[in-house]
Amino acid sequence: MKAMVIEEFGDSSVFVEREIEKPKVEPGCVLIHVQATSVNPIDTKIRSGAVSGIAPQFPAVLHGDVAGIVAEVGEGVTAFRVGDEVFGCPGGFKGTGGALAEYMLADARLLAHKPKSLSMEEAAALPLVTITAWESLFDRAKLKKDQHILIHGATGGVGHVAIQLAKWTGATVYTTASSTEKLEIGQKLGADVGINYREESVSQYMDQYTDGKGFEVIFDTVGGKNLDSSFEAAALSGTVVTIAARSTHDLTPLHSKGLSFHVTFMLLKVIDEDQRHIHGEIIGQIAQIVEEGKLKPLVDAKTFSITEVSKAHEHLESGKAIGKIVLVNNW
Amino acid sequence: MKAMVIEEFGDSSVFVEREIEKPKVEPGCVLIHVQATSVNPIDTKIRSGAVSGIAPQFPAVLHGDVAGIVAEVGEGVTAFRVGDEVFGCPGGFKGTGGALAEYMLADARLLAHKPKSLSMEEAAALPLVTITAWESLFDRAKLKKDQHILIHGATGGVGHVAIQLAKWTGATVYTTASSTEKLEIGQKLGADVGINYREESVSQYMDQYTDGKGFEVIFDTVGGKNLDSSFEAAALSGTVVTIAARSTHDLTPLHSKGLSFHVTFMLLKVIDEDQRHIHGEIIGQIAQIVEEGKLKPLVDAKTFSITEVSKAHEHLESGKAIGKIVLVNNW
């Protein structure tokens, strides 16, 4: 089969098209005829070698997010049949299949039936970011309907999904972004209040929206210096969840305010055989929420074919994408 | 009434004996005839001015932990009567009474009946550290009986109580200390395994006791560099709770392992009128656990009278105390 592989770590130009062996279906797995995939920041980090410990062996087929059609069903799999439309984030790293190919081998526990109301491209945009947002908001922050949550990064992959899931819960949602255009998108997705972080300081928006008391729950999808802003914006006994914490921080605000702080790294459950079923269950629920019309992916205006994966990575790394970048199988 | 007060921030010698006005009992409060108090690190930080924002006004009566006899009962208080023996941590900072005096005014919601099986000195050793350990283990880490917990600081004020509460829950308890003597005490308190952190590296004891996988729950009662060791020793998706985080740390291990991290600062609930009742409820439960013989304070061999408070603070700051330092009312 055809695949876009990397034979070494490098910049976005490192992908090459190769003919590789089609994976054989294994017990508990299905073989997916890939229709679409999407780029997540972790894919660019695996590609560059920044997280080489979790990279697949060369020649490596990257990308976890997939939407496609079940082509073969392994022994013991009862939830899916040949021809079923499925989606999920079943790989893209060490020991798993990747979606930048005609076919992807996937543990059936990590998949769900694709929502009928979504195209393959839209379905491929959802799995990693939605599972991440779900684990962050519900498993970690235990977000409840009467709470006020600040979500940083309104139009980011995880941010735009988090806004919708938080609203689905009934919480009051504040969101930050760098422009009026992005904030308008965030508010269309359901955010009650949009905050332009380039125009308002943390203390200004804390005063304006919380009487200076801070936010009960903060979901930081940005990291870096923004994490310090999150600690600053948290209320006494508040909760901060982030997806990016590979950095050094003064923890004094966590002490003074008795904060809880969580880092969500969704791949850990994909690695752990005993926990994989949890992801399948989450995206099963996500599919229902999509069908209820409460969740829709934001797909960037630029879409690519899988053979254009270098351009897709370049676009992600430019920081200019709004929502998810999707790639369609053009073989 | 007589009191040991501070009229300025300073070192342990800053306390002076003064005759000050006896507090008038207020609605919802009781006036406690102080029998004993104990020193906590927060008392030394308030004294030195390190946390001046929460210090009482000069002349300031410090110390939160108290055991004593109810002398007067304020309007609306039904849980206590004159002559009742009580204990709790109802003050020692801005806007509250302090225990370094003959009488302490205390919000009744922050008190419980003293366990009959404890002396006044023993009862005064418990409140702050036990509430801190309770909130850390149960409200934050949600410790369960089948879990493995690593508790740093076997013979510290909070550590020695945490060992007993974790065992009471049924968890398997590993504890660290700097000497065989301290570890023997930790094991007598119930720890299953004692680890001398001066003789074993984190990776050594992770290998030995967890097959290199790390501990599900870690309670760090030490802070500073030890917090980095805690992050290192945590299992994938593990939980680290600390009571000391006024420092700067590389959070990469929290990201790579998807950790949850909590800072417990028990005074925050004392400050919050709406949450005070929670502390009264916790020490009520603690009193029961004491009566069941499952919890006993470790009182340092050196005890002091209240007028010797300077020596007591000096002893705490020497780092040589084992367990809690208690002061008895000698007026």
Side-chain angles (χ1 to χ4, degrees):
Chain A
M1 66 171 182
K2 295 195 172 65
M4 296 302 293
V5 305
I6 64 168
E7 295 172 338
E8 59 186 326
F9 297 125
D11 66 20
S12 61
S13 70
V14 78
F15 291 97
V16 285
E17 185 170 345
R18 289 283 183 266
E19 189 70 29
I20 62 169
E21 203 176 340
K22 184 174 161 184
K24 286 187 177 53
V25 73
E26 293 173 10
C29 294
V30 300
L31 197 64
I32 302 169
H33 185 198
V34 175
Q35 302 299 305
T37 176
S38 68
V39 199
N40 291 295
I42 188 72
D43 300 319
T44 66
K45 291 192 183 77
I46 290 173
R47 186 211 72 219
S48 73
V51 290
S52 56
I54 58 170
Q57 281 197 308
F58 299 129
V61 185
L62 307 189
H63 280 213
D65 274 343
V66 69
I69 299 162
V70 174
E72 292 178 43
V73 175
E75 196 186 314
V77 174
T78 56
F80 304 101
R81 291 184 299 185
V82 170
D84 281 358
E85 295 187 337
V86 294
F87 75 135
C89 181
F93 56 91
K94 193 160 76 179
T96 65
L100 290 174
E102 288 184 273
Y103 294 90
M104 179 180 191
L105 181 67
D107 188 322
R109 292 171 293 184
L110 293 165
L111 301 174
H113 291 276
K114 179 183 84 63
K116 288 191 175 54
S117 58
L118 293 188
S119 66
M120 285 287 179
E121 293 85 337
E122 290 172 320
L126 281 180
L128 185 145
V129 294
T130 316
I131 293 167
T132 300
W134 185 282
E135 293 186 346
S136 300
L137 298 179
F138 306 136
D139 298 343
R140 299 301 189 93
K142 316 274 186 203
L143 184 69
K144 289 170 197 75
K145 68 173 178 182
D146 55 346
Q147 287 189 309
H148 290 228
I149 181 170
L150 174 65
I151 298 172
H152 289 298
T155 58
V158 176
H160 86 276
V161 167
I163 289 173
Q164 296 175 79
L165 288 178
K167 281 315 293 180
W168 172 74
T169 308
T172 303
V173 177
Y174 301 77
T175 192
T176 66
S178 59
S179 72
T180 309
E181 182 202 0
K182 289 181 176 176
L183 289 171
E184 277 171 8
I185 294 170
Q187 287 179 284
K188 272 184 195 153
L189 294 169
D192 297 278
V193 175
I195 298 164
N196 188 324
Y197 68 81
R198 291 196 173 150
E199 291 174 1
E200 285 190 78
S201 71
V202 175
S203 63
Q204 278 173 334
Y205 65 72
M206 280 174 74
D207 282 347
Q208 185 169 356
Y209 300 114
T210 71
D211 265 345
K213 289 179 183 168
F215 297 86
E216 295 171 276
V217 180
I218 297 178
F219 185 23
D220 185 341
T221 69
V222 178
K225 279 186 186 169
N226 198 66
L227 197 48
D228 297 314
S229 301
S230 295
F231 296 152
E232 185 185 348
L236 288 180
S237 305
T239 297
V240 176
V241 186
T242 190
I243 57 171
R246 298 184 192 278
S247 44
T248 296
H249 299 269
D250 175 12
L251 302 183
T252 303
L254 283 83
H255 187 131
S256 314
K257 296 194 277 192
L259 302 185
S260 288
F261 173 58
H262 306 271
V263 188
T264 307
F265 189 15
M266 69 80 80
L267 283 189
L268 296 176
K269 281 204 179 62
V270 186
I271 292 167
D272 183 349
E273 287 272 340
D274 295 338
Q275 297 200 73
R276 286 188 168 178
H277 67 99
I278 297 171
H279 279 193
E281 288 159 18
I282 291 173
I283 55 166
Q285 289 178 275
I286 287 165
Q288 282 188 358
I289 297 167
V290 168
E291 299 291 35
E292 289 164 14
K294 304 290 188 188
L295 177 65
K296 203 172 162 59
L298 179 66
V299 176
D300 187 73
K302 284 191 187 175
T303 60
F304 300 87
S305 61
I306 286 185
T307 53
E308 294 173 314
V309 60
S310 292
K311 284 187 196 167
H313 275 228
E314 198 181 335
H315 186 44
L316 184 95
E317 291 177 311
S318 75
K320 288 181 185 157
I322 292 190
K324 289 296 304 283
I325 299 167
V326 170
L327 298 86
V328 183
N329 182 352
N330 58 322
W331 285 304
Chain B
M1 68 172 183
K2 293 193 173 67
M4 296 301 294
V5 304
I6 63 167
E7 295 170 338
E8 59 186 326
F9 297 125
D11 67 18
S12 61
S13 70
V14 78
F15 291 97
V16 285
E17 186 171 345
R18 289 285 183 262
E19 188 72 28
I20 62 168
E21 204 177 337
K22 184 175 162 183
K24 285 185 177 54
V25 74
E26 293 173 8
C29 294
V30 300
L31 197 66
I32 302 170
H33 186 197
V34 175
Q35 301 299 303
T37 177
S38 68
V39 199
N40 291 294
I42 188 70
D43 301 318
T44 66
K45 291 191 184 77
I46 291 173
R47 186 211 72 218
S48 72
V51 290
S52 56
I54 58 170
Q57 281 196 305
F58 300 129
V61 185
L62 306 189
H63 279 213
D65 274 343
V66 67
I69 299 162
V70 174
E72 293 178 42
V73 175
E75 198 187 314
V77 174
T78 55
F80 303 102
R81 291 184 299 184
V82 171
D84 280 359
E85 296 187 336
V86 294
F87 75 137
C89 181
F93 57 91
K94 192 160 75 179
T96 65
L100 290 174
E102 287 184 275
Y103 293 91
M104 179 180 191
L105 181 66
D107 188 321
R109 291 172 294 184
L110 292 165
L111 302 174
H113 291 276
K114 180 184 82 64
K116 289 191 174 56
S117 60
L118 294 188
S119 66
M120 285 287 179
E121 291 85 338
E122 289 172 320
L126 282 180
L128 186 146
V129 294
T130 316
I131 293 168
T132 299
W134 186 281
E135 292 186 346
S136 299
L137 298 178
F138 306 136
D139 298 342
R140 299 300 189 95
K142 316 274 185 200
L143 185 70
K144 289 171 196 71
K145 68 175 179 181
D146 55 345
Q147 288 189 306
H148 290 227
I149 181 170
L150 174 65
I151 298 172
H152 290 297
T155 58
V158 176
H160 86 276
V161 167
I163 290 172
Q164 297 176 77
L165 287 179
K167 282 316 292 181
W168 171 73
T169 308
T172 304
V173 177
Y174 301 77
T175 192
T176 65
S178 59
S179 72
T180 309
E181 182 202 359
K182 288 181 175 177
L183 289 170
E184 277 171 6
I185 295 170
Q187 286 179 285
K188 272 184 194 153
L189 293 169
D192 298 277
V193 174
I195 298 163
N196 188 324
Y197 68 82
R198 290 197 172 150
E199 291 174 3
E200 284 190 79
S201 70
V202 175
S203 64
Q204 280 174 332
Y205 64 72
M206 278 174 76
D207 283 347
Q208 185 169 358
Y209 300 114
T210 72
D211 265 344
K213 289 180 183 167
F215 297 87
E216 297 171 273
V217 181
I218 297 178
F219 185 22
D220 184 340
T221 69
V222 178
K225 280 185 185 170
N226 197 67
L227 196 49
D228 297 314
S229 302
S230 296
F231 296 153
E232 184 185 348
L236 288 181
S237 306
T239 297
V240 176
V241 187
T242 188
I243 56 171
R246 298 184 192 278
S247 43
T248 296
H249 299 270
D250 175 10
L251 302 184
T252 302
L254 284 82
H255 186 131
S256 315
K257 295 194 278 192
L259 302 185
S260 289
F261 174 58
H262 307 270
V263 189
T264 308
F265 189 17
M266 68 80 79
L267 283 190
L268 296 177
K269 280 205 180 61
V270 186
I271 292 167
D272 184 350
E273 286 272 339
D274 294 339
Q275 297 199 72
R276 286 188 168 177
H277 66 100
I278 297 170
H279 279 193
E281 287 160 18
I282 291 174
I283 55 168
Q285 288 178 276
I286 286 164
Q288 282 188 358
I289 298 168
V290 168
E291 299 292 36
E292 288 163 15
K294 304 289 187 187
L295 177 64
K296 205 172 159 59
L298 179 65
V299 176
D300 186 73
K302 284 191 185 174
T303 59
F304 299 87
S305 60
I306 287 185
T307 52
E308 294 174 315
V309 60
S310 292
K311 284 189 197 166
H313 275 228
E314 199 181 336
H315 186 44
L316 184 96
E317 290 175 312
S318 77
K320 288 179 185 158
I322 293 189
K324 290 296 305 280
I325 300 166
V326 170
L327 298 87
V328 183
N329 182 352
N330 58 323
W331 285 306

